[in-house]
Amino acid sequence: MSQTTPPDSPAFPLKRTCPFAPPPAYDRLRAEEPVSRVRLPDGGAAWLVTRYDDVRTVLSSPAFSADGTRPGFPKLIPGQAQILKRPPFIRMDPPQHSFYRRMLIQEFTLKRVKAMRPGIQAAVDRLLDDLLAQSPPADLVEAFALPVPSLVICQLLGVPYADHAFFQSRSRIAVSGSSTAEQFATALGELRAYMDGLITRKQQEPGDDLLSKLVAEQLEPAGELGREELLMMCLMLLNAGHETTANMIALGTAALLEHPDQLAALREDPELLPDAVEELLRYLSIADVVTTRIAAEDTALSGTPIRAGAGVIALLAAADWDPAVFSDPERLDLRRGNRHHVAFGYGVHQCLGQNLARLELEIAFSALFARIPTLRLAVPADELPYKHGGLLYGVHELPVTW
Amino acid sequence: MRITADTDVCISAGMCALTAPQVFDQGDEDGLVRVLLPEPPEELREAAAQAVRLCPSGALGIR
Ligand code: HEM
Ligand code: SF4
């Protein structure tokens, strides 16, 4: 690392005190030291960026690279070192990034996503039927928040949902801050072997799904994708497609239950739903620390010089709670009408699945609160098992009753 | 107001079509922005300007 890190720099990740709010240190940093040094778990260091404008600059300026193979690229959890040796396109720069992203774009346009509505609604209804057939309490993560996005992405990709227990448990290890590098390597190896077998199956018996299509059109020798590349791309989609949305459904439900006035407003006015989803995305910013970059040249942010090769973490929750952009950011206000949050990132890597995620969240929240009007937490909100220190924030379990 | 769109820059995030659906669409095959109304009428101008501001890739502009 070319710049020194003062020994008293805070250690990453910074600690949360309120379960829904970002770490309180973000407020102090944003006000006093908007670009500050932080020590990483692997002994490396990075710049923490907390202002909305600076976060958008990091994510959209070519001075900052997403190329995970550059030496010194920040690693937040032990498993990342292995992925970043040959990362999928989320950790590449254009033009390579554009080459891969464009292969997938047509599956994720607004129109294509809207056409998925009936399928998602049916899945949600079925899961709620099953949940209501049980007697309370239940774990809403297991019964609802995880299966909804998992069913959706499995169907889209062509991954048998019957295998969900297998790949969900391995994916959980891959994004957790408490897995060791060995656990990560084992989980990744098993996921790769699984996906490799699936690719072979799609070569023999293609179906009407994205994986079959990629195998037929893009895989060598007919296409331009090596098997390893295709495999990692599909694993990224499988993972990005369910861990994120699952955390939003579970944590969003908890946040609404803890803000009964907001939930009542949503119940009275279903038209509020799209705005409510945007506000929950902003308020919870569950992918807070995902957006890591590395300076590609000497540059500066808010007057702080950043040398080429320095790691940067553009904190999405810090940006989405920047009072210069969102007044009273600590207030969950479903009527805020905010569309410019960065919960899906910004710049060329802005979430490919964002319109799908929005639709899943709309359907999930509206059906859940309509079908179970008496839904409530079965334990106090501050006793829920929160996912501290991982790549994505959320709850491991959400015990509810009705 | 005249809307410009650079499809070489567009990353097909679809924010434009979501924000101002009468003004923007996405190509079915490539997901790239299509400007339906390059000179939007008065009542659509605000939504169009917002879509331009929200575009994550800087593909959209107003002349
Ligand atoms: C609420 C749910 C979701 C959140 C909060 C979220 C958040 C994000 C963020 C912040 C990024 C940018 C990462 C970066 O710039 O380094 C991203 C990228 C990405 N997301 Fe999502 N995501 C969600 C759901 C989904 C879904 C459902 C999919 C579907 C497959 C998906 C697929 C992707 C992909 C493929 C990328 C990489 C895009 C690129 O590098 O060009 N995400 N997501
Ligand atoms: S918002 Fe920008 S990047 Fe996204 S589809 Fe429209 S023009 Fe393209």
Side-chain angles (χ1 to χ4, degrees):
Chain A
M1 194 86 347
S2 52
Q3 283 164 313
T4 55
T5 305
D8 60 343
S9 302
F12 186 87
L14 285 88
K15 298 261 176 306
R16 290 178 189 250
T17 48
C18 163
F20 299 121
Y26 289 6
D27 283 339
R28 186 189 62 76
L29 291 173
R30 197 190 301 103
E32 294 167 13
E33 212 185 335
V35 182
S36 61
R37 294 299 271 172
V38 70
R39 279 180 294 117
L40 300 179
D42 69 347
W47 293 103
L48 275 189
V49 179
T50 44
R51 286 189 180 157
Y52 181 84
D53 288 343
D54 288 337
V55 165
R56 296 224 303 187
T57 301
V58 169
L59 299 182
S60 59
S61 153
F64 296 91
S65 162
D67 178 355
T69 65
R70 288 184 188 240
F73 197 91
K75 295 166 189 77
L76 306 185
I77 59 171
Q80 272 182 314
Q82 196 183 348
I83 286 279
L84 292 181
K85 283 185 200 142
R86 273 190 79 181
F89 68 86
I90 189 167
R91 285 295 165 265
M92 292 180 193
D93 285 332
Q96 290 91 335
H97 163 262
S98 337
F99 168 78
Y100 294 102
R101 183 166 168 132
R102 289 199 168 163
M103 264 176 208
L104 299 174
I105 267 165
Q106 45 170 286
E107 312 299 322
F108 291 94
T109 61
L110 200 54
K111 245 176 281 170
R112 282 296 277 275
V113 165
K114 281 188 177 153
M116 294 183 217
R117 179 181 277 279
I120 301 175
Q121 184 74 55
V124 163
D125 289 343
R126 192 151 34 82
L127 289 165
L128 289 174
D129 289 342
D130 292 348
L131 178 63
L132 284 167
Q134 301 175 33
S135 47
D139 172 14
L140 200 74
V141 171
E142 171 104 38
F144 187 66
L146 199 50
V148 170
S150 198
L151 278 163
V152 171
I153 194 71
C154 282
Q155 174 148 36
L156 190 129
L157 270 177
V159 172
Y161 182 69
D163 300 336
H164 72 275
F166 164 77
F167 56 74
Q168 278 167 1
S169 64
R170 303 317 186 268
S171 310
R172 214 167 295 147
I173 296 171
V175 296
S176 156
S178 48
S179 333
T180 63
E182 289 71 37
Q183 287 169 324
F184 183 89
T186 310
L188 184 65
E190 288 171 342
L191 284 169
R192 292 195 31 210
Y194 173 77
M195 199 48 90
D196 194 57
L198 204 54
I199 291 174
T200 305
R201 246 157 70 202
K202 302 288 175 185
Q203 285 174 307
Q204 291 158 354
E205 303 163 44
D208 180 22
D209 54 62
L210 178 55
L211 186 51
S212 298
K213 198 174 127 190
L214 290 170
V215 164
E217 292 171 12
Q218 309 285 359
L219 187 63
E220 290 168 338
E224 294 178 89
L225 271 190
R227 198 176 176 100
E228 176 68 20
E229 287 174 299
L230 175 63
L231 202 151
M232 290 309 286
M233 189 156 98
C234 290
L235 282 182
M236 173 182 68
L237 282 175
L238 185 60
N239 200 37
H242 72 261
E243 273 292 329
T244 45
T245 315
N247 284 322
M248 264 311 294
I249 294 177
L251 204 58
T253 301
L256 286 171
L257 291 173
E258 286 297 294
H259 292 80
D261 56 321
Q262 296 295 311
L263 182 55
L266 181 59
R267 283 215 169 96
E268 261 160 47
D269 179 8
E271 305 243 309
L272 196 55
L273 195 54
D275 281 354
V277 167
E278 297 305 318
E279 174 65 353
L280 286 165
L281 284 162
R282 176 198 74 83
Y283 182 74
L284 300 168
S285 293
I286 56 142
D288 183 27
V289 304
V290 162
T291 32
T292 43
R293 298 292 189 269
I294 188 165
E297 56 192 59
D298 289 347
T299 179
L301 284 171
S302 281
T304 304
I306 312 252
R307 304 252 181 81
V312 178
I313 307 172
L315 294 170
L316 301 181
D320 280 339
W321 283 54
D322 185 341
V325 180
F326 303 98
S327 56
D328 303 328
E330 69 292 345
R331 229 181 54 227
L332 176 70
D333 177 4
L334 303 186
R335 297 187 191 280
R336 191 182 288 272
N338 107 71
R339 289 253 150 173
H340 50 292
H341 65 74
V342 290
F344 288 121
Y346 192 69
V348 298
H349 291 279
Q350 197 186 55
C351 182
L352 177 72
Q354 57 183 288
N355 290 315
L356 178 58
R358 285 186 172 100
L359 183 64
E360 291 181 47
L361 292 173
E362 282 187 22
I363 296 175
F365 290 134
S366 80
L368 178 66
F369 292 111
R371 295 275 308 272
I372 319 184
T374 56
L375 189 75
R376 56 187 194 281
L377 296 181
V379 300
D382 52 8
E383 287 172 22
L384 292 170
Y386 293 96
K387 297 184 181 174
H388 292 293
L391 284 185
L392 297 167
Y393 189 58
V395 283
H396 294 288
E397 277 172 35
L398 188 65
V400 292
T401 188
W402 58 90
Chain B
M1 173 191 228
R2 189 172 173 86
I3 309 269
T4 60
D6 182 346
T7 46
D8 286 338
V9 175
C10 172
I11 55 152
S12 309
M15 279 299 274
C16 50
L18 184 70
T19 311
Q22 294 103 321
V23 183
F24 301 97
D25 194 7
Q26 288 180 277
D28 287 336
E29 284 300 309
D30 54 16
L32 295 174
V33 56
R34 304 275 189 278
V35 184
L36 302 174
L37 295 173
E39 293 185 28
E42 185 63 44
E43 67 275 15
L44 294 178
R45 278 186 202 163
E46 193 179 321
Q50 194 191 17
V52 172
R53 279 196 307 276
L54 289 177
C55 169
S57 69
L60 301 178
I62 294 177
R63 263 209 319 251

